[in-house]
Amino acid sequence: WSLLLCLLLTACRREAERWNVLLVVVDTLRADRMSLYGYRRPTTPNLDALAREGMVFSNARSQAGCTFPSANSLLTSRQPAVFLPQGGAARFVIPPAARSLPEILRQHGYFTAAVSASPIVRHTPSRENPAGGYGRGFQVFDESCFWKHGDCMNERALGLLEAFREPWFFYLHYMEPHAPYRPPRGHLRRFAATPGRARELGVHPWARRGDSWPIAQRLYNGDPRLDFNPQDLAHLSDLYDEEILYLDEQLAKLFDALRTRHLRERTLIVLAADHGEELYDHGQYNHCRNLAYETLFRTPLAMWIPGVEPGLRRQAIAENLDIVPTILDYLRIPAERLALDGASLRPTIEGDRPVRRLSFGLQGLKRTVLDGTRKLTFDLGSGQAQLFDIEADPGEKSDLSARFPEETLRLKTALLRWTESHEGPLASGESRRRATELEKRLRALGYL
């Protein structure tokens, strides 16, 4: 009978087995530019195939549109407001009160390691993160691929993996497709023109190099010496897609290496992104700032869980906040005393049952709430609320707040209640002050 019961369960597993955990975070990857999520270009052919061995969340969301505090939130399952600057300080580190996944797993006997190419998610200081501080809980934190391509990440990760004792937790932070959009020379382009062809099309030299900084300087600093044209925008967009294609190739090599080493069958793998990217879809560019469009918040989330039925797609809302509790649930590590803000996605994975009805987010002065179909954005500075039907209008072009006042009030009430519960009374102006403080800090560090 026990064997029969085991066969009937979707997540049947050997009780004595302790899975490894691989958490892959991709910087600046928006879901709607992946063929995995229906994009017109085949940007992720390998992930499309790999997804048939795992499961995909169709409506996954980041909680912030900037690496800080999004990465902190993802690693701790705490709302991003926990990490915003307080008392004028703008350190990016995870505070001791917020326990991170590597700390939790290390306490339970896991060997913990990371390889990060990110200028923010670092153990030692960088220009963009003068405090460093992300190494807490990791026994190994490798930064040798700082700002380098995915082939460097793979080489370091697979080299380190040779020495790991099981069970292990491995965090990998890839920088494609973060700007500058510059796939390596050896990558065969399928979407973007060659530099010579781009020159013929009238693309500026900086755009041919994949540098979007002049656009941001013109848009946000009003620099009259800089300008851009439609050809620049189109070429940068094509290069962004090329970086995703290159990343897809590198992730396929990583997965193949795990399979060759017979690690796939006993490793729980999670693929996520810290946030997306605005590519002038709304007349804005890059990420961070006061940008809270779905181009920033809708991110990929896929999992490969031993014993779980392959090829599943779930429509229910999932959040990066849910990654830590889901991993802990499948590892049978108690989470009741950890004060996590997310929820295990196991009911969604195994029973197609949603774990929440509303998803909240913040970025700059913007606060958002999504109920799956309708999205409300509230600006703390102006007090303006906008309502969008993201199924009928995924580009968020038509504000429906005047047309549907009751719906607007319902979502606005829920959003303001959530904001005040995590950030304090809006009348105090504390949320605005902290958001403004963070943007000043990011500007001073040259990140904006």
Side-chain angles (χ1 to χ4, degrees):
W1 282 104
S2 60
L3 177 60
L4 178 60
L5 179 61
C6 184
L7 291 173
L8 290 173
L9 292 173
T10 7
C12 165
R13 55 173 293 189
R14 294 190 299 271
E15 285 300 313
E17 187 177 37
R18 299 187 72 192
W19 296 337
N20 303 307
V21 178
L22 175 63
L23 175 54
V24 178
V25 174
V26 180
D27 211 299
T28 321
L29 178 59
R30 51 190 270 188
D32 68 346
R33 298 300 283 262
M34 303 170 68
S35 49
L36 181 65
Y37 285 89
Y39 186 46
R40 59 182 174 81
R41 283 175 165 172
T43 51
T44 54
N46 292 297
L47 283 175
D48 299 352
L50 287 166
R52 292 193 284 272
E53 303 173 12
M55 66 153 308
V56 176
F57 292 91
S58 298
N59 293 297
R61 299 176 63 72
S62 170
Q63 278 56 73
C66 201
T67 301
F68 174 84
S70 177
N72 302 46
S73 181
L74 187 155
L75 284 167
T76 63
S77 187
R78 300 298 306 276
Q79 292 287 355
V82 170
F83 309 104
L84 293 182
Q86 299 188 40
R91 301 178 65 202
F92 297 155
V93 297
I94 297 172
R99 295 187 64 201
S100 64
L101 184 59
E103 291 179 286
I104 297 166
L105 294 184
R106 185 175 180 180
Q107 184 183 10
H108 284 82
Y110 276 71
F111 181 82
T112 56
V115 179
S116 175
S118 169
I120 299 294
V121 182
R122 291 178 57 80
H123 175 52
T124 61
S126 67
R127 179 175 66 89
E128 294 86 351
N129 178 6
Y134 280 89
R136 199 176 79 230
F138 288 106
Q139 289 158 279
V140 173
F141 199 104
D142 190 298
E143 302 170 341
S144 60
C145 293
F146 179 60
W147 272 122
K148 292 183 180 178
H149 288 297
D151 57 347
C152 177
M153 289 287 298
N154 281 358
E155 182 180 357
R156 292 300 299 164
L158 295 173
L160 288 170
L161 197 58
E162 294 284 354
F164 289 0
R165 62 164 176 79
E166 296 187 52
W168 43 257
F169 166 67
F170 206 1
Y171 174 84
L172 301 180
H173 194 120
Y174 290 79
M175 282 304 287
E176 287 90 6
H178 192 289
Y181 317 126
R182 197 175 297 161
R185 291 182 180 178
H187 169 73
L188 180 63
R189 296 189 179 191
R190 291 187 59 183
F191 312 125
T194 62
R197 177 57 180 156
R199 184 187 305 111
E200 294 173 1
L201 294 172
V203 178
H204 282 102
W206 49 265
R208 297 200 296 268
R209 296 191 299 268
D211 186 2
S212 62
W213 187 246
I215 296 178
Q217 290 290 93
R218 178 59 185 255
L219 290 176
Y220 304 114
N221 296 329
D223 192 333
R225 297 169 299 174
L226 299 170
D227 204 357
F228 55 92
N229 58 41
Q231 297 94 306
D232 297 327
L233 293 170
H235 187 64
L236 289 170
S237 179
D238 290 344
L239 287 174
Y240 180 84
D241 288 349
E242 288 288 358
E243 288 233 323
I244 297 174
L245 180 62
Y246 169 75
L247 171 76
D248 179 75
E249 295 165 355
Q250 298 307 311
L251 292 179
K253 293 176 181 178
L254 176 70
F255 274 62
D256 285 345
L258 292 176
R259 182 182 286 109
T260 300
R261 300 180 188 198
H262 305 290
L263 290 169
R264 280 284 301 277
E265 60 269 20
R266 61 179 185 274
T267 301
L268 191 164
I269 305 173
V270 178
L271 172 68
D274 56 349
H275 56 77
E277 183 82 314
E278 171 71 8
L279 296 167
Y280 210 65
D281 308 72
H282 304 86
Q284 308 289 331
Y285 220 91
N286 295 136
H287 51 273
C288 300
R289 309 183 190 276
N290 288 321
L291 303 179
Y293 302 109
E294 290 301 281
T295 52
L296 279 295
F297 280 91
R298 186 166 176 250
T299 49
L301 180 60
M303 297 184 182
W304 291 262
I305 306 172
V308 167
E309 179 186 352
L312 297 176
R313 275 193 179 255
R314 297 304 192 213
Q315 299 295 322
I317 294 173
E319 297 184 328
N320 282 352
L321 278 176
D322 303 327
I323 292 172
V324 169
T326 302
I327 290 173
L328 297 180
D329 190 356
Y330 276 102
L331 297 180
R332 300 195 307 277
I333 294 176
E336 293 79 11
R337 298 183 180 181
L338 294 175
L340 306 180
D341 292 326
S344 171
L345 292 169
R346 194 165 187 167
T348 305
I349 295 167
E350 298 181 9
D352 205 8
R353 301 190 304 275
V355 298
R356 67 172 49 75
R357 299 295 179 184
L358 298 176
S359 176
F360 299 94
L362 64 79
Q363 183 54 50
L365 294 173
K366 300 290 180 65
R367 301 294 179 267
T368 70
V369 58
L370 175 80
D371 68 3
T373 302
R374 299 289 173 88
K375 175 186 176 182
L376 184 128
T377 301
F378 182 79
D379 190 305
L380 296 176
S382 66
Q384 180 185 12
Q386 293 180 297
L387 180 71
F388 301 99
D389 183 335
I390 62 168
E391 280 195 352
D393 176 29
E396 298 168 90
K397 304 293 186 182
S398 302
D399 178 12
L400 303 176
S401 57
R403 184 177 169 189
F404 298 101
E406 292 183 0
E407 186 78 354
T408 301
L409 179 61
R410 177 181 70 86
L411 289 174
K412 181 179 177 181
T413 300
L415 179 57
L416 296 184
R417 186 182 297 122
W418 173 83
T419 302
E420 295 201 346
S421 68
H422 290 91
E423 303 182 61
L426 294 182
S428 70
E430 181 64 12
S431 297
R432 293 194 300 275
R433 185 195 68 77
R434 292 164 73 190
T436 303
E437 186 78 30
L438 175 59
E439 181 156 347
K440 287 180 180 177
R441 178 64 168 169
L442 290 170
R443 283 181 178 275
L445 295 173
Y447 196 72
L448 295 182

